Each structure stands twice: as C-alpha cells, then as structure tokens.
Amino acid sequence: MALHILTSLSGSPGVTSTALTWAQVSDRPTLLVEVDPAGGSAMLCIGWQGAHPHNRSILDLARHPGHEYVPRIWELAIPLPQRPRGAWLVPTVGNVAQMRSLVSVFGPLAEALAQISRESHVDVLVDLGRLGAAGPSTQLWSHADSVLLFTDTTLSALNTLAVGAPVLADELDAIGARHRLAVVPVLGNAKGESHRPYGAREISGITSGIPVLAGVARDGKAAGSRTWGKRGRYPLSVRRLIGAVDQHTRGANEYLAVAGGGA
C-alpha cells in the first residue's frame, strides 16, 4: 500500500473531510494520521460526532523511542465507527503549544508510517493541515508516495496556488520527490458552479507542470456527515480521487525507478 500526505496552501479546501471520507469509502485498510499543527481533532468531531474523548494523540509518541513507534501507533489508533475493522485514526495534538514537543518525533514517525504502509498492507493518509503552519512535520515528505496539494477553485485560492505550488515543487525536488506532488481541486459548491468556475484544465495552466488530479465535489453538508451513503455525489468524487491517486503514485514510482537506474 502507500503513504499519502494531504495538505493545502490556504483556507479550508476540504483536506480533513476528504481524508476521512477516503477512509470510509475505500476498499482497502486505511490508517488516518492527523498532524494538523492547529491542534484539536476535527476528525474526532466529524467521525464520532464529538462522542469520543480526545484522550490520545500523536503527542503520546514523544514518550517512546523511535524504534517502538509502529506498535505504539497501533495502540493509539481508534477504529472508525463505519469501518471498525478496516480504518483507524490517530488524532492530532490538543493545542498548538503541544506541537512544539514533536520536533524530534516527525523523523521516526515518517519511517514508522512508511513501514506500516509497506508491511501491514495499509494505506496511510496523513492530514498535514495548512502547509504554512506545518513546520517540522514536513519531514514526512521524504517517505511519502504522494503529496496531494488541495486547493479551492476560487480566483483568490488559485492565485495562492500559482505562487505557492512551484515553491513546494522545488522543495520536494531537493529530496528527489517532485514527481510525487499533485494538485487536487475542490470543485463547485451548493450555491452554484459559477461561484467556482475553474476546472482541472484551467488549473493545470498555472501549476508549472504539476499534474492536476480528479477534483473532489464541494459539499459542506455531506463532508461533515456520517450518513451520506456511498452513492452520493461527494463520496463518489472521493472514490474517483482514490483511483486517480493510485495511478499518479504508480506513474511517479515508475519514473523515479527509471531515473534512479539511469543515474
């Protein structure tokens, strides 16, 4: 399986709700790891409707040596109500101040999550939150099979994307991971498509060659629900995204294998 990083450059384009819905609709075992530096677990609020206490988080890993992280992660993992035997969540910290204690955690955490994805045959989804606030958590990039950059499709969000995406691509290029990067647009809204008129074709023109994957439907009501069903517009768009990410990851792996063999 694979380790996927989900992040954004600005605003709230649906990173958390997409990751949670991905875990709900996927046919594969899925481990969600919340690393949003803002603190407070949005996934616990959405997935459990606030009924589960925030009594564990990635902060608990700081008490243990890195070689113990794999079993400790599974001890912390909470089964999702919709998929108790097929999807789990490790929540983020309770507040911003606690994130400062995790500087030494992210390196071994990245290695442990990559090991889980390979050896336990689990897709690992890391919700990195907004990129500008991610800080040391960007150490996770070096072990990721894909880095998915979510963007709203308003003009202001796309302006931020045009400026920030090439910078991120250059940072990933420095660790040999540029081809892992892809953009995921969030398309349309309940008030009418004209409020977000830009599609994948227009967006690809401003991403400096970074591929643009299948967009996720914007549906605030469905994204925050546990009962939308699996045939609605929103979950179906997430299913299409999973397929697109699989294809993107295979392509990146093949490219990097050829590039590495020719070095």
Side-chain angles (χ1 to χ4, degrees):
M1 302 299 185
L3 169 58
H4 304 292
I5 306 296
L6 285 67
T7 188
S8 68
L9 289 171
S10 64
S12 301
V15 173
T16 297
S17 57
T18 300
L20 186 57
T21 304
W22 181 329
Q24 292 171 328
V25 304
S26 177
D27 296 325
R28 303 190 293 255
T30 307
L31 174 65
L32 297 165
V33 182
E34 236 180 343
V35 192
D36 191 332
S41 177
M43 288 192 182
L44 278 177
C45 291
I46 297 172
W48 286 260
Q49 299 294 291
H52 197 292
H54 195 168
N55 57 0
R56 64 186 78 180
S57 77
I58 55 173
L59 181 63
D60 296 320
L61 295 172
R63 299 180 296 173
H64 304 284
H67 67 269
E68 294 184 2
Y69 276 16
V70 170
R72 298 296 180 183
I73 287 169
W74 285 118
E75 289 175 3
L76 294 171
I78 306 169
L80 263 66
Q82 297 85 349
R83 298 188 65 201
R85 297 183 181 180
W88 304 265
L89 167 67
V90 179
T92 190
V93 295
N95 57 64
V96 175
Q98 292 177 334
M99 187 60 69
R100 302 189 189 101
S101 302
L102 295 177
V103 173
S104 63
V105 166
F106 289 115
L109 173 61
E111 295 177 6
L113 294 178
Q115 182 180 340
I116 288 172
S117 70
R118 292 192 310 267
E119 298 179 2
S120 299
H121 304 290
V122 172
D123 280 336
V124 180
L125 310 182
V126 179
D127 179 354
L128 200 62
R130 185 169 59 84
L131 194 57
S137 57
T138 54
Q139 294 176 56
L140 295 163
W141 293 346
S142 61
H143 292 271
D145 292 287
S146 75
V147 178
L148 306 177
L149 185 61
F150 282 68
T151 181
D152 204 339
T153 49
T154 60
L155 188 58
S156 60
L158 294 180
N159 180 64
T160 300
L161 178 70
V163 173
V167 175
L168 175 57
D170 288 344
E171 292 180 9
L172 289 169
D173 198 28
I175 59 172
R178 182 188 185 98
H179 288 82
R180 306 288 190 193
L181 180 63
V183 171
V184 179
V186 180
L187 304 169
N189 68 358
K191 295 182 180 179
E193 298 290 341
S194 62
H195 288 253
R196 290 175 169 81
Y198 303 101
R201 181 177 300 178
E202 291 88 354
I203 296 169
S204 64
I206 63 168
T207 58
S208 301
I210 302 167
V212 179
L213 303 186
V216 174
R218 174 168 289 278
D219 189 334
K221 184 177 180 180
S225 172
R226 297 186 302 174
T227 57
W228 33 242
K230 295 188 177 182
R231 295 186 180 276
R233 176 171 173 261
Y234 175 69
L236 285 176
S237 74
V238 176
R239 279 188 176 276
R240 286 194 295 270
L241 174 63
I242 294 172
V245 172
D246 287 346
Q247 184 175 359
H248 169 70
T249 300
R250 285 193 298 269
N253 287 339
E254 291 169 3
Y255 177 88
L256 293 171
V258 171

